[in-house]
């Protein structure tokens, strides 16, 4: 994962722009391992953290329980890290078995996820799911507008219509390809290879994004997120550097245009997943990077 040249390096250089001023750029942290859930009951516990465009829902679900959405406004993501966490997704009168160790995309409308053996699923929603945005521990964090982040706009619908789609996460690494990237109409998810042991401190990858957030979802191990705010011409934008230590499970939302990099620090397995909403065009333009690109087309060029 961290050997040799980072495949993203050319992308960073090609897309860098002058830094805007008047920034509202605050990181958001959901430390699910040490915080009380936002919802709970006999069927399970649920934690919610929102970003500008999205909501992360982390759950610990009892055997036989179901996760239901009524009138879901847009497509959402189900991420099953645990290989034993098999589920059945009910949508449009059909039942689809999704094995553990998979990512699934569930269409709009009514749906239900049944977990026969229980598990720890992660779901990703856009903030158009207003009930979940309101339930988030940081529900008011975006009351101040993020003027440098464009409004959310969904990508085109899948080529052969709506259905539950799922893909295995166990995809072999390939030279020149960055992680294991999947996208749908609302999200791009990069399941980074599990890294055993601490990351080499002499091989980090500090970078920034001009106009979109990155959510780093830690599912195993421990990490340090390093953040550096740019010195714009307005000193009100300046902040001191931060090094934020997190364990698993947690979600950490990194704002643009903050320079950032993350170091795995556990001696054991470190599992990190990067989330973007909507999908990233730069990653999508790299041949072979998006593993399910044939199912979900890119937007057509404007102009």
């Amino acid at each position: 994962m961290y050997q040799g040249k980072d495949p993203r390096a050319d992308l960073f250089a090609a897309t860098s722009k002058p830094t805007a001023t008047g920034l509202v750029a605050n990181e958001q942290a959901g430390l699910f391992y040490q915080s009380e859930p936002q919802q709970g009951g006999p069927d399970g516990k649920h934690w919610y953290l929102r970003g500008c465009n999205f909501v992360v829902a982390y759950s610990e679900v009892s055997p036989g329980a179901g996760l239901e959405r009524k009138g879901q406004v847009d497509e959402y993501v189900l991420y099953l890290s645990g290989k034993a966490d098999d589920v059945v997704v009910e949508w449009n009168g059909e039942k689809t078995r999704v094995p553990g160790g998979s990512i699934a995309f569930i269409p709009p409308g009514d749906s239900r996820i049944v977990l026969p053996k229980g598990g720890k699923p992660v779901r990703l929603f856009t903030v158009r799911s207003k009930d979940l945005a309101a339930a988030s521990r940081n529900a008011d964090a975006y009351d101040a507008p993020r003027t440098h982040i464009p409004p959310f706009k969904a990508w085109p619908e899948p080529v052969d219509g709506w259905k539950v789609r799922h893909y295995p996460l166990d995809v072999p690494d390939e030279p020149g390809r960055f992680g294991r990237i999947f996208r749908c109409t609302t999200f791009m998810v990069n399941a980074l290879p599990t890294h055993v042991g601490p990351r080499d401190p002499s091989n980090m990858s500090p970078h920034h994004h001009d106009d979109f957030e990155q959510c780093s979802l830690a599912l195993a191990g421990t990490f340090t997120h390093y953040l550096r705010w740019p010195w714009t011409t307005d000193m009100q934008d300046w902040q001191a550097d931060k090094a934020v230590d997190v364990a698993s499970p947690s979600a950490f939302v990194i704002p643009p245009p903050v320079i950032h990099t993350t170091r795995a620090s556990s001696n054991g397995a470190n599992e990190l997943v990067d989330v973007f909403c909507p999908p990233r065009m730069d990653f999508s333009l790299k041949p072979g990077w998006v593993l399910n690109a044939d199912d979900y087309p890119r937007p057509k060029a404007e102009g």
Side-chain angles (χ1 to χ4, degrees), residues 74-77 126 152 154-155 184-188 276-279:
D74 52 13
E75 192 172 30
Y76 69 100
V77 179
T126 75
F152 171 80
W155 278 33
C184 64
T185 61
T186 50
F187 282 90
M188 174 174 282
F276 307 96
C277 179

Side-chain angles (χ1 to χ4, degrees), residues 110-138:
D110 297 346
S111 60
R112 189 166 184 260
I113 302 167
V114 180
L115 296 95
K117 295 179 289 187
K120 300 178 180 179
V122 176
R123 291 168 295 156
L124 306 172
F125 301 88
T126 75
V127 290
R128 295 182 67 198
S129 294
K130 295 181 180 180
D131 59 323
L132 301 182
S136 299
R137 64 164 298 278
N138 62 335

Side-chain angles (χ1 to χ4, degrees), residues 95-107:
K95 295 183 179 180
T96 303
R97 178 185 174 273
V98 180
S102 297
I103 186 171
F105 301 119
I106 303 176

Side-chain angles (χ1 to χ4, degrees), residues 62-233:
S62 304
L67 302 171
E68 192 170 39
R69 293 296 294 169
K70 288 285 190 181
Q72 174 62 31
V73 66
D74 52 13
E75 192 172 30
Y76 69 100
V77 179
L78 170 65
Y79 192 94
L80 301 171
S81 177
K83 292 189 176 182
D85 293 350
D86 296 357
V87 307
V88 176
V89 179
E90 302 172 359
W91 177 82
N92 198 32
E94 298 182 355
K95 295 183 179 180
T96 303
R97 178 185 174 273
V98 180
S102 297
I103 186 171
F105 301 119
I106 303 176
D110 297 346
S111 60
R112 189 166 184 260
I113 302 167
V114 180
L115 296 95
K117 295 179 289 187
K120 300 178 180 179
V122 176
R123 291 168 295 156
L124 306 172
F125 301 88
T126 75
V127 290
R128 295 182 67 198
S129 294
K130 295 181 180 180
D131 59 323
L132 301 182
S136 299
R137 64 164 298 278
N138 62 335
D140 60 353
Y142 291 82
D143 289 351
R146 306 310 201 252
T147 56
H148 54 303
I149 300 178
F152 171 80
K153 184 177 181 180
W155 278 33
E157 294 183 7
V159 292
D160 56 352
W162 292 117
K163 63 180 179 181
V164 176
R165 291 174 168 81
H166 60 91
Y167 310 90
L169 297 171
D170 189 12
V171 178
D173 294 341
E174 186 176 301
R177 193 190 75 220
F178 179 58
R180 297 161 292 177
I181 301 174
F182 304 88
R183 71 170 182 243
C184 64
T185 61
T186 50
F187 282 90
M188 174 174 282
V189 178
N190 189 1
L192 300 169
T194 299
H195 186 74
V196 178
R199 183 176 182 177
D200 180 356
S202 68
N203 189 20
M204 302 301 291
S205 56
H207 63 282
H208 80 280
H209 310 298
D210 289 320
D211 57 4
F212 60 86
E213 292 178 324
Q214 173 177 314
C215 177
S216 290
L217 181 65
L219 297 177
T222 58
F223 300 86
T224 302
H225 298 294
Y226 295 94
L227 308 175
R228 170 165 288 183
W229 276 256
W231 283 15
T232 74
T233 55

Side-chain angles (χ1 to χ4, degrees), residues 233-253:
T233 55
D234 185 348
M235 289 183 68
Q236 294 186 84
D237 294 331
W238 299 10
Q239 295 191 38
D241 291 354
K242 293 183 180 179
V244 183
D245 295 320
V246 303
S248 303
S250 63
F252 194 81
V253 182

